[in-house]
Amino acid sequence: MEFRYDPSLIRNFSIIAHIDHGKSTLADRFLEFTGTISKREMQDQVLDAMDLERERGITIKAHPVRMLYQAKDGRIFQMNLIDTPGHVDFSYEVSRSLSACEGAILVVDAGQGLQAQSLANVHLAMERNLTIIPVLNKIDLPTADVDGTLQQLEDTLAMPREEVILCSAKTGLGIEELLERIIEVIPAPKVPLLPALTSLVFDSRYDPYRGVLVYVRIISGKIRKGDSIRFMAADAIYDVLEVGVFTPAQRTVDSLSAGEVGYFAANIKTVADVKIGDTVTGAKETSAVALPGFKVIKPVVFAGIYPVDSQDFEALRDAFSKLRLNDSALYVEQESSTALGFGFRCGFLGLLHLEIVFERLHREFNLDIITTSPSVIYRFSLQNGTVVDVDNPARYPDPAAICMVEEPYVICHILTPHDYLGNVMSLTLDKRGTCVKMETLDAKRLLLTYRLPLNEIVTDFADRLKSMTKGYASFDYSFEEYEKGDIVKLEIRVNEEPVDAFSCLIHRSKAEAKGRAICSKLAEVIPMQLFRVPIQAAIGGKVIARETIRAITKNVTAKCYGGDITRKRKLWEKQKEGKKRMKEIGKVSIPQGAFMSVLKLNNE
């Protein structure tokens, strides 16, 4: 099958859904049905190339792929699909993918119904005026409630049930009908009458042999091997060495024309020159205006990442520069800690994002690293009128100079069955939340709107919500505003010495429980010394929790037998004096495992 370039026969679309609703399986069926992949090469989750994606059964990165499909009327169409993640922490990947498309397929699980992230992704697609095709997946399962889910789509998103395509991505039922609907409903890309090359950079990654591979959607003009191109944001000029498409493996082509999606390599040595959302244009015939690009996303969770061996610092810096090509939502700046040495302060979109970045650094770059407790950005108003943003306990201002502290609040939408309303309300109350609105979606489910502090959301909220509702509830959140809060610095001291890595900023009402938990955990993991080691949690000068690690003792009176008790007392006093001197000069070595234990404690 051969495609002759014609913009009217190109369809660019994305698959959006909540996590585990069958996006990757539907993409597998598309690849199989269109003959893009042979049956011999076929495997589950073809587009999920990362080990982490396969292990966890989730999509982390958006994956583009080109398919050729012969319609019933005989015409051959070029279909560019971008499979997107479903977890709230990777919503930025979804927004970037949608910017390269004209349409989106909304996949809804017939058993689970509409979920919070499905609603959030639909709104993202509507903001970009994309054509949305609703699809009801997993209709072959015994638990499928087809009528109920169709009613939800009608009531919540005003999508008529006649327009919803019923399919099973596992068995292939309804796939041909869906492909025909894509051709019929999703518009062909609009090609401006501009001779100059204009293309949108929607992703990139680092290849050890070819340098940076830049993923682009061509808006106008054409890009060929040997062309001289310019990145408008960095004002850098390169010569194109290779142009290609994903099928889903990389395949070189002669050129990419307006409306098409693909990649190019240009021997880019300076990694910082490639910015997601940048416009690539010709070096000679340049585009007058840059494309709008993407909204710059702000990280919400911050944590320090440090190499276990200080000699790995440069390797970690290099790894971050390569990882940021592939994950533009990651924020990185250098910092140092007295306990951990030189490392980086990183910003993430959520706790899963932090976990995935940590795993990727460990696996893809073979680095032995540790991470500090995650925190959010607090806003401090000082007596001299200045306002400072603080995300690191080490930067906590002088308490005497603080006038007011504000913490970020989010609006959180929780979809839950009626049966678990009590559990959800109990959880949100524990997390200092206030109920804004409660709506009944249908006979079985409620949509709760809560106002919650962001710090309470990013730690263990998702896991506890799932366990309390047996996996049926889902949630999505968006930043609202900063509000005054009683935020204090919980300082952890080991042998009277403060340890920055364990300290954190926390609401006063939660400080004592957190301090007790950290002290208790450290008492378990720090080995005994030759002297007693106090572990304290303090707010300012007030100690609110304490644990003591017993000293390794030696029975100095074992050699004594019978005789006067004064001889034994003399030996005990001598031992006590020695331990006192040892405590004054002794240093406690904290094992690396202790840092990971405290981080896991925050996530339990």
Side-chain angles (χ1 to χ4, degrees):
M1 206 178 342
E2 191 179 340
F3 175 76
R4 290 187 178 179
Y5 176 71
D6 180 351
S8 67
L9 299 178
I10 296 174
R11 298 290 183 271
N12 297 319
F13 63 97
S14 200
I15 302 179
I16 56 174
H18 188 80
I19 190 168
D20 200 31
H21 275 212
K23 296 177 301 301
S24 297
T25 312
L26 183 60
D28 289 349
R29 293 294 80 73
F30 280 153
L31 293 168
E32 199 172 48
F33 195 86
T34 56
T36 308
I37 282 188
S38 65
K39 291 208 175 208
R40 185 174 56 83
E41 297 171 300
M42 196 64 208
Q43 57 176 331
D44 288 343
Q45 290 178 269
V46 172
L47 296 183
D48 292 346
M50 265 192 260
D51 291 342
L52 273 172
E53 291 179 313
R54 291 184 171 281
E55 282 171 25
R56 291 168 179 258
I58 61 172
T59 303
I60 294 166
K61 285 294 303 169
H63 300 279
V65 63
R66 175 188 283 194
M67 303 174 289
L68 295 182
Y69 170 64
Q70 185 164 10
K72 288 179 177 176
D73 59 10
R75 292 183 297 169
I76 295 172
F77 286 82
Q78 181 194 117
M79 308 184 91
N80 294 308
L81 157 69
I82 303 177
D83 181 24
T84 60
H87 196 280
V88 63
D89 281 14
F90 303 108
S91 56
Y92 190 45
E93 290 282 330
V94 180
S95 69
R96 296 206 323 256
S97 305
L98 295 177
S99 298
C101 300
E102 280 78 36
I105 298 172
L106 169 65
V107 179
V108 179
D109 187 326
Q112 297 182 42
L114 265 177
Q115 301 283 299
Q117 195 57 38
S118 307
L119 294 174
N121 288 342
V122 167
H123 292 309
L124 278 175
M126 286 176 171
E127 281 171 19
R128 287 163 177 75
N129 296 319
L130 300 187
T131 303
I132 299 171
I133 300 175
V135 171
L136 201 57
N137 190 23
K138 304 187 185 181
I139 59 166
D140 55 323
L141 293 183
T143 54
D145 178 14
V146 176
D147 287 335
T149 313
L150 287 172
Q151 193 62 46
Q152 286 172 21
L153 286 167
E154 270 192 331
D155 296 344
T156 313
L157 297 174
M159 292 177 172
R161 59 173 63 210
E162 303 77 42
E163 292 181 9
V164 180
I165 292 178
L166 306 181
C167 84
S168 167
K170 185 66 83 176
T171 62
L173 176 71
I175 299 299
E176 186 175 8
E177 185 191 347
L178 178 53
L179 286 166
E180 290 292 329
R181 179 73 66 84
I182 290 167
I183 290 166
E184 179 191 334
V185 176
I186 294 177
K190 292 176 184 173
V191 180
L193 298 171
L194 300 169
L197 168 68
T198 312
S199 57
L200 176 71
V201 178
F202 69 90
D203 207 349
S204 62
R205 71 177 181 83
Y206 185 80
D207 185 282
Y209 302 105
R210 290 173 291 178
V212 181
L213 295 183
V214 184
Y215 296 14
V216 287
R217 156 74 195 271
I218 311 294
I219 306 298
S220 68
K222 187 182 278 193
I223 187 169
R224 304 179 195 81
K225 181 180 176 180
D227 283 358
S228 196
I229 51 108
R230 182 165 74 91
F231 289 92
M232 291 184 84
D235 197 21
I237 294 175
Y238 291 100
D239 290 329
V240 177
L241 302 178
E242 181 185 324
V243 177
V245 294
F246 301 95
T247 61
Q250 292 163 20
R251 179 170 64 83
T252 56
V253 293
D254 296 331
S255 64
L256 287 173
S257 301
E260 295 187 311
V261 174
Y263 73 91
F264 70 83
N267 199 17
I268 299 166
K269 294 283 192 287
T270 312
V271 169
D273 284 351
V274 181
K275 291 181 173 63
I276 305 302
D278 193 4
T279 303
V280 173
T281 184
K284 293 172 186 172
E285 275 191 79
T286 60
S287 173
V289 236
L291 296 166
F294 312 111
K295 183 172 117 184
V296 178
I297 195 145
K298 290 185 178 177
V300 294
V301 182
F302 285 82
I305 292 183
Y306 294 83
V308 170
D309 185 347
S310 57
Q311 292 181 344
D312 288 339
F313 175 73
E314 288 301 326
L316 181 59
R317 186 206 296 276
D318 188 42
F320 269 126
S321 67
K322 291 171 182 172
L323 196 61
R324 285 189 70 192
L325 276 175
N326 200 230
D327 187 357
S328 55
L330 176 64
Y331 167 82
V332 180
E333 69 171 7
Q334 191 177 326
E335 74 164 5
S336 63
S337 158
T338 48
L340 302 171
F342 287 102
F344 295 90
R345 191 75 181 165
C346 304
F348 307 91
L349 299 182
L351 214 62
L352 178 65
H353 190 201
L354 159 60
E355 206 179 319
I356 294 297
V357 167
F358 185 86
E359 279 290 325
R360 289 186 69 185
L361 286 168
H362 183 64
R363 294 186 188 200
E364 294 175 25
F365 301 96
N366 201 26
L367 290 168
D368 206 0
I369 51 176
I370 54 173
T371 175
T372 61
S373 301
S375 69
V376 299
I377 299 179
Y378 297 100
R379 188 178 287 166
F380 286 77
S381 300
L382 306 181
Q383 301 282 9
N384 60 8
T386 58
V387 177
V388 290
D389 288 341
V390 176
D391 61 71
N392 189 345
R395 296 177 188 157
Y396 188 78
D398 178 8
I402 298 171
C403 183
M404 179 179 67
V405 187
E406 293 171 293
E407 62 176 326
Y409 270 74
V410 295
I411 289 291
C412 180
H413 300 287
I414 303 171
L415 272 167
T416 178
H418 284 82
D419 301 349
Y420 304 107
L421 177 61
N423 291 355
V424 173
M425 292 183 81
S426 168
L427 172 63
T428 49
L429 190 65
D430 181 48
K431 294 293 186 181
R432 300 189 286 127
T434 50
C435 186
V436 177
K437 195 166 49 172
M438 187 185 295
E439 299 168 85
T440 304
L441 287 184
D442 51 41
K444 293 182 179 176
R445 301 189 315 151
L446 294 167
L447 175 61
L448 309 175
T449 305
Y450 269 88
R451 201 165 169 276
L452 286 148
L454 179 59
N455 190 35
E456 302 287 352
I457 288 274
V458 298
T459 47
D460 60 348
F461 185 81
D463 293 340
R464 288 184 62 188
L465 179 69
K466 285 290 181 188
S467 61
M468 283 182 163
T469 60
K470 298 183 180 176
Y472 286 111
S474 64
F475 84 107
D476 179 65
Y477 63 88
S478 57
F479 174 76
E480 188 197 21
E481 62 179 357
Y482 274 85
E483 188 177 286
K484 186 177 177 181
D486 190 6
I487 304 299
V488 293
K489 178 183 178 180
L490 178 66
E491 189 176 73
I492 305 297
R493 301 171 187 162
V494 177
N495 197 28
E496 312 293 341
E497 292 286 327
V499 183
D500 290 344
F502 298 135
S503 302
C504 60
L505 300 176
I506 192 169
H507 194 269
R508 193 181 293 274
S509 64
K510 302 287 181 84
E512 187 176 334
K514 179 79 174 275
R516 286 185 188 281
I518 293 176
C519 289
S520 176
K521 179 59 75 175
L522 288 177
E524 289 174 20
V525 295
I526 295 177
M528 287 197 296
Q529 310 292 315
L530 290 168
F531 50 91
R532 290 175 73 204
V533 178
I535 300 170
Q536 300 166 315
I539 298 172
K542 184 183 177 184
V543 175
I544 58 169
R546 172 177 172 137
E547 293 282 343
T548 305
I549 301 174
R550 289 189 305 111
I552 300 172
T553 55
K554 178 184 176 183
N555 187 0
V556 290
T557 60
K559 59 187 177 184
C560 300
Y561 53 94
D564 193 359
I565 189 68
T566 54
R567 187 179 174 203
K568 289 187 178 181
R569 281 188 185 141
K570 187 178 175 183
L571 288 169
W572 285 332
E573 286 300 320
K574 191 176 177 184
Q575 185 185 38
K576 192 194 285 185
E577 286 298 315
K579 290 204 178 284
K580 189 177 176 184
R581 280 198 309 275
M582 205 181 292
K583 186 175 180 181
E584 287 170 4
I585 60 167
K587 295 286 181 190
V588 179
S589 176
I590 300 172
Q592 300 297 350
F595 297 101
M596 287 310 295
S597 298
V598 171
L599 177 65
K600 283 175 186 166
L601 180 72
N602 292 324
N603 300 341
E604 285 173 2

Short mmCIF file of all heavy atoms in Angstrom, two decimals, residues 88 95 106 114 171 189 213 247 249 252 293 315 333 420 470 484 496 507 513 549 572 598:
data_model
loop_
_atom_site.label_atom_id
_atom_site.label_comp_id
_atom_site.label_asym_id
_atom_site.label_seq_id
_atom_site.Cartn_x
_atom_site.Cartn_y
_atom_site.Cartn_z
N VAL A 88 -3.21 11.66 35.99
CA VAL A 88 -3.26 13.12 36.17
C VAL A 88 -1.87 13.75 36.17
O VAL A 88 -1.68 14.88 35.73
CB VAL A 88 -4.03 13.46 37.48
CG1 VAL A 88 -3.31 12.90 38.70
CG2 VAL A 88 -4.23 14.95 37.63
N SER A 95 -1.79 17.46 26.76
CA SER A 95 -2.02 18.79 26.16
C SER A 95 -1.10 19.02 24.97
O SER A 95 -1.49 19.61 23.97
CB SER A 95 -1.84 19.89 27.21
OG SER A 95 -0.50 20.01 27.59
N LEU A 106 -12.25 9.72 22.47
CA LEU A 106 -12.46 9.61 23.91
C LEU A 106 -12.87 8.17 24.22
O LEU A 106 -13.94 7.72 23.81
CB LEU A 106 -13.56 10.58 24.36
CG LEU A 106 -14.07 10.39 25.79
CD1 LEU A 106 -12.98 10.68 26.81
CD2 LEU A 106 -15.29 11.22 26.07
N LEU A 114 -17.60 6.91 33.15
CA LEU A 114 -16.80 8.14 33.07
C LEU A 114 -15.99 8.33 34.34
O LEU A 114 -16.51 8.14 35.43
CB LEU A 114 -17.72 9.36 32.88
CG LEU A 114 -17.97 9.83 31.46
CD1 LEU A 114 -18.96 10.97 31.48
CD2 LEU A 114 -16.69 10.26 30.78
N THR A 171 -10.91 -7.71 21.46
CA THR A 171 -11.31 -8.66 20.41
C THR A 171 -11.30 -8.04 19.01
O THR A 171 -11.34 -8.76 18.02
CB THR A 171 -12.73 -9.18 20.70
OG1 THR A 171 -13.65 -8.07 20.66
CG2 THR A 171 -12.80 -9.85 22.06
N PRO A 189 -5.92 18.26 7.94
CA PRO A 189 -5.18 19.43 8.40
C PRO A 189 -5.30 20.61 7.44
O PRO A 189 -5.29 20.42 6.21
CB PRO A 189 -3.73 18.93 8.49
CG PRO A 189 -3.69 17.68 7.70
CD PRO A 189 -5.05 17.10 7.71
N LEU A 213 16.67 13.69 18.81
CA LEU A 213 15.63 13.46 17.79
C LEU A 213 14.47 14.38 18.12
O LEU A 213 13.93 14.33 19.23
CB LEU A 213 15.16 12.01 17.80
CG LEU A 213 16.18 10.93 17.42
CD1 LEU A 213 15.52 9.56 17.42
CD2 LEU A 213 16.78 11.20 16.05
N THR A 247 6.62 3.97 12.60
CA THR A 247 5.65 3.00 12.05
C THR A 247 5.52 1.67 12.81
O THR A 247 5.34 0.66 12.14
CB THR A 247 6.03 2.70 10.58
OG1 THR A 247 7.33 2.12 10.55
CG2 THR A 247 5.96 3.90 9.69
N ALA A 249 8.28 1.69 14.65
CA ALA A 249 9.74 1.85 14.67
C ALA A 249 10.10 3.04 13.78
O ALA A 249 9.34 3.43 12.90
CB ALA A 249 10.40 0.58 14.14
N THR A 252 13.16 6.06 7.97
CA THR A 252 13.55 7.29 7.28
C THR A 252 12.69 7.49 6.02
O THR A 252 12.30 6.53 5.35
CB THR A 252 15.04 7.26 6.87
OG1 THR A 252 15.28 6.10 6.08
CG2 THR A 252 15.93 7.24 8.10
N GLY A 293 2.71 27.58 20.51
CA GLY A 293 3.38 26.65 21.43
C GLY A 293 2.46 26.19 22.53
O GLY A 293 1.27 26.04 22.34
N ALA A 315 27.74 13.01 36.15
CA ALA A 315 26.94 12.04 35.39
C ALA A 315 25.45 12.31 35.60
O ALA A 315 24.64 12.21 34.67
CB ALA A 315 27.28 10.61 35.82
N GLU A 333 17.22 22.42 39.22
CA GLU A 333 18.23 23.42 39.55
C GLU A 333 19.21 22.81 40.55
O GLU A 333 18.84 21.95 41.35
CB GLU A 333 17.60 24.70 40.11
CG GLU A 333 16.99 24.57 41.48
CD GLU A 333 16.57 25.90 42.07
OE1 GLU A 333 16.64 26.92 41.38
OE2 GLU A 333 16.17 25.90 43.25
N TYR A 420 -19.53 4.64 48.91
CA TYR A 420 -18.27 5.01 49.56
C TYR A 420 -18.21 6.49 49.95
O TYR A 420 -17.15 7.02 50.24
CB TYR A 420 -17.08 4.68 48.63
CG TYR A 420 -17.05 3.24 48.21
CD1 TYR A 420 -17.38 2.86 46.91
CD2 TYR A 420 -16.72 2.24 49.13
CE1 TYR A 420 -17.37 1.52 46.53
CE2 TYR A 420 -16.71 0.91 48.76
CZ TYR A 420 -17.03 0.56 47.47
OH TYR A 420 -17.02 -0.77 47.10
N LYS A 470 -12.23 0.74 47.19
CA LYS A 470 -11.97 -0.51 46.45
C LYS A 470 -11.63 -0.26 44.98
O LYS A 470 -11.97 -1.06 44.11
CB LYS A 470 -13.17 -1.46 46.57
CG LYS A 470 -13.45 -1.88 48.00
CD LYS A 470 -14.59 -2.87 48.10
CE LYS A 470 -14.83 -3.25 49.55
NZ LYS A 470 -15.98 -4.14 49.72
N LYS A 484 -3.84 31.80 53.48
CA LYS A 484 -3.07 31.84 54.73
C LYS A 484 -3.17 30.51 55.47
O LYS A 484 -4.24 29.92 55.57
CB LYS A 484 -3.60 32.98 55.61
CG LYS A 484 -2.77 33.21 56.87
CD LYS A 484 -3.31 34.39 57.66
CE LYS A 484 -2.52 34.58 58.95
NZ LYS A 484 -3.04 35.70 59.75
N GLU A 496 21.83 16.00 68.27
CA GLU A 496 21.81 17.47 68.41
C GLU A 496 22.16 18.22 67.12
O GLU A 496 22.19 19.45 67.09
CB GLU A 496 22.77 17.97 69.54
CG GLU A 496 22.64 17.22 70.86
CD GLU A 496 21.32 17.48 71.54
OE1 GLU A 496 20.65 18.47 71.20
OE2 GLU A 496 20.95 16.67 72.42
N HIS A 507 1.95 21.65 58.07
CA HIS A 507 0.94 22.35 58.85
C HIS A 507 1.10 21.97 60.32
O HIS A 507 1.38 20.81 60.65
CB HIS A 507 -0.46 21.98 58.36
CG HIS A 507 -1.54 22.88 58.87
ND1 HIS A 507 -2.22 22.61 60.04
CD2 HIS A 507 -2.02 24.06 58.41
CE1 HIS A 507 -3.10 23.58 60.26
NE2 HIS A 507 -3.00 24.47 59.28
N ALA A 513 2.54 14.32 64.80
CA ALA A 513 2.42 12.93 64.30
C ALA A 513 3.53 12.62 63.31
O ALA A 513 4.12 11.53 63.34
CB ALA A 513 1.05 12.74 63.65
N ILE A 549 18.60 6.13 70.55
CA ILE A 549 19.25 4.88 70.14
C ILE A 549 20.23 4.49 71.24
O ILE A 549 21.14 5.27 71.57
CB ILE A 549 19.99 5.05 68.80
CG1 ILE A 549 19.01 5.48 67.70
CG2 ILE A 549 20.70 3.76 68.40
CD1 ILE A 549 19.68 5.82 66.38
N TRP A 572 32.62 1.50 86.33
CA TRP A 572 31.41 2.06 85.69
C TRP A 572 31.54 3.57 85.48
O TRP A 572 31.16 4.10 84.43
CB TRP A 572 30.18 1.76 86.56
CG TRP A 572 29.74 0.32 86.49
CD1 TRP A 572 29.89 -0.53 85.45
CD2 TRP A 572 29.10 -0.42 87.53
NE1 TRP A 572 29.38 -1.76 85.74
CE2 TRP A 572 28.88 -1.73 87.02
CE3 TRP A 572 28.69 -0.13 88.84
CZ2 TRP A 572 28.27 -2.74 87.77
CZ3 TRP A 572 28.06 -1.13 89.58
CH2 TRP A 572 27.86 -2.42 89.06
N VAL A 598 12.62 7.03 55.09
CA VAL A 598 11.81 8.19 55.47
C VAL A 598 10.93 8.62 54.30
O VAL A 598 9.78 9.00 54.47
CB VAL A 598 12.69 9.35 55.97
CG1 VAL A 598 11.87 10.63 56.16
CG2 VAL A 598 13.36 8.97 57.27
#
